Amino acid sequence: MKLQMHSIHFDADQKLVNFIQKKADKLETFYDRIIDGEVIMKVENVDSRENKIIEVKLNIPGAQLFAKKQSKSFEAGADEVIESLRRQLKKRKEKMAAHA
């Protein structure tokens, strides 16, 4: 799956980009019609340790799925976002199967 990666207020290293790409690729096992996606990683200037925000948009036929999480590391945030999108995809697939 083609993902556009954006890192705001920092430079994402290749290891982080590969980690997110690998996690996102697993979503295709649940729903094989994902067109593409966009990942936005931000570091907020707050006192809290949970200052890393990750947003993921997935384009699928007829809809766009979105998830956003804030955590203390991008890896932890990516896990949560991908899990949230997995649930959304599963729900959408079940809904489509019910209408078919």
Side-chain angles (χ1 to χ4, degrees), residues 3-79:
L3 283 180
Q4 282 188 317
M5 303 274 186
H6 305 285
S7 50
I8 299 165
H9 303 305
F10 78 104
D11 290 325
D13 67 341
Q14 196 57 45
K15 209 165 108 182
L16 176 62
V17 170
N18 292 344
F19 176 83
I20 294 168
Q21 181 71 55
K22 203 167 126 188
K23 286 273 181 197
D25 285 344
K26 289 182 182 167
L27 289 173
E28 290 185 308
T29 60
F30 300 100
Y31 194 83
D32 57 1
R33 296 178 59 209
I34 299 170
I35 300 165
D36 61 4
E38 184 176 14
V39 178
I40 299 171
M41 297 169 277
K42 295 187 244 185
V43 177
E44 292 278 300
N45 293 335
V46 291
D47 294 334
S48 164
R49 287 192 52 214
E50 293 199 356
N51 65 342
K52 293 169 185 69
I53 298 171
I54 184 164
E55 301 175 6
V56 179
K57 276 186 242 174
L58 286 184
N59 295 311
I60 60 174
Q64 189 176 56
L65 303 179
F66 179 79
K68 177 179 179 176
K69 297 289 177 196
Q70 185 167 346
S71 62
K72 59 181 180 265
S73 78
F74 284 115
E75 289 81 2
D79 282 340

